[in-house]
Amino acid sequence: MAERIKITIGIPTYERPELLRALLKSLAEQDLPDREAYKIRVLVYNNGPKEDCANLVKELKADFPFKLELQQDTLSGLSTVRQTIVDLSAGYDALIFIDDDEVASPRWLFNLLETWKIHQAPVVTGPVFGDLVDGAPGWVVKSKTFDSWRQYQTGDRVPKAYTNNVLIAKDVFEDVKPAFDPDFNYIGSEDVNFFQRAVKSGFSIVWCQDAAVHEHIPK
């Protein structure tokens, strides 16, 4: 029997249990036909002082279709949190990042993995669609301000990616160190910096149009 491909899905979260619940529900309902080919772990990193997110993970863990783990810590700064998830994923073949205010489309995981396999891409990313609350201004609706910056065809090489919907192969982390620079802890764009360095090091980023996630956009 072939060794299963090991995947971590990393989710940083901070005191947003209801949004996290919606995300985990969408992951639990993923349509992944070749599930036995993969060993999938969902790693929730909660760095908030409250126990709501931790209690949610404990509640869902027993019946979750994938291995569901919780890392509870008080480390501050998004770069530090993301880098800790990278470090905790050592030995895994790829790490997928998704944000705690998103939900994944039913074949999100399958399509990311298929694109990775078919195109042998070090990095695979897909679209993000903003789900607006009722009563959002007309200009926001028409401009699609909260949707992805562009749309491409699956297999296209793209110049950048973000950590709200991305698969990163282990080879990238072995070359680009640290992945997430602590200098960006409190100013953001730690992911922009990482992917810029990855591209400069020769790693390509490939688009998967069918690996879509929807992001909750609050009023």
Side-chain angles (χ1 to χ4, degrees):
M1 183 177 177
E3 186 174 349
R4 290 191 295 170
I5 300 168
K6 294 186 289 185
I7 306 293
T8 293
I9 300 175
I11 307 168
T13 190
Y14 183 87
E15 296 183 6
R16 299 203 283 192
E18 292 311 311
L19 291 174
L20 179 62
R21 180 184 292 276
L23 168 58
L24 291 175
K25 181 176 184 292
S26 73
L27 296 182
E29 295 173 350
Q30 287 295 297
D31 180 8
L32 185 61
D34 53 349
R35 184 170 298 192
E36 293 304 313
Y38 298 96
K39 181 179 179 181
I40 295 171
R41 171 183 67 162
V42 176
L43 175 59
V44 176
Y45 191 109
N46 179 41
N47 69 333
K50 296 181 180 179
E51 294 293 326
D52 295 3
C53 292
N55 291 336
L56 173 63
V57 171
K58 293 172 185 176
E59 172 195 334
L60 299 178
K61 188 172 184 177
D63 297 321
F64 208 75
F66 307 120
K67 186 176 183 181
L68 180 59
E69 294 183 10
L70 172 72
Q71 177 73 15
Q72 180 79 32
D73 212 327
T74 56
L75 292 173
S76 62
L78 194 49
S79 287
T80 299
V81 169
R82 290 200 190 281
Q83 185 61 48
T84 303
I85 292 174
V86 171
D87 296 340
L88 291 171
S89 299
Y92 281 72
D93 297 295
L95 168 59
I96 298 172
F97 275 115
I98 187 170
D99 285 348
D100 67 349
D101 59 352
E102 297 174 332
V103 294
S105 55
R107 279 209 157 192
W108 168 76
L109 181 56
F110 172 77
N111 289 321
L112 275 181
L113 294 170
E114 282 294 288
T115 301
W116 177 43
K117 181 169 62 176
I118 292 169
H119 295 277
Q120 297 293 298
V123 179
V124 180
T125 190
V128 177
F129 298 104
D131 287 349
L132 303 171
V133 295
D134 292 340
W139 69 268
V140 173
V141 177
K142 292 178 181 179
S143 66
K144 299 183 179 180
T145 297
F146 293 98
D147 290 354
S148 292
W149 43 285
R150 280 190 64 181
Q151 303 297 317
Y152 295 89
Q153 299 295 316
T154 296
D156 286 352
R157 291 181 64 160
V158 297
K160 58 184 177 179
Y162 302 96
T163 45
N164 54 3
N165 182 14
V166 68
L167 178 151
I168 308 161
K170 66 177 181 180
D171 295 349
V172 184
F173 295 121
E174 291 171 355
D175 187 89
V176 183
K177 296 181 179 180
F180 299 101
D181 189 331
D183 285 347
F184 291 85
N185 255 336
Y186 305 109
I187 60 174
S189 295
E190 76 290 335
D191 52 351
V192 174
N193 173 263
F194 166 64
F195 290 114
Q196 285 177 341
R197 289 185 289 128
V199 169
K200 189 174 181 179
S201 296
F203 295 105
S204 60
I205 304 173
V206 168
W207 186 262
C208 179
Q209 181 62 26
D210 294 323
V213 301
H214 290 258
E215 179 180 359
H216 172 71
I217 308 298
K219 184 176 180 179

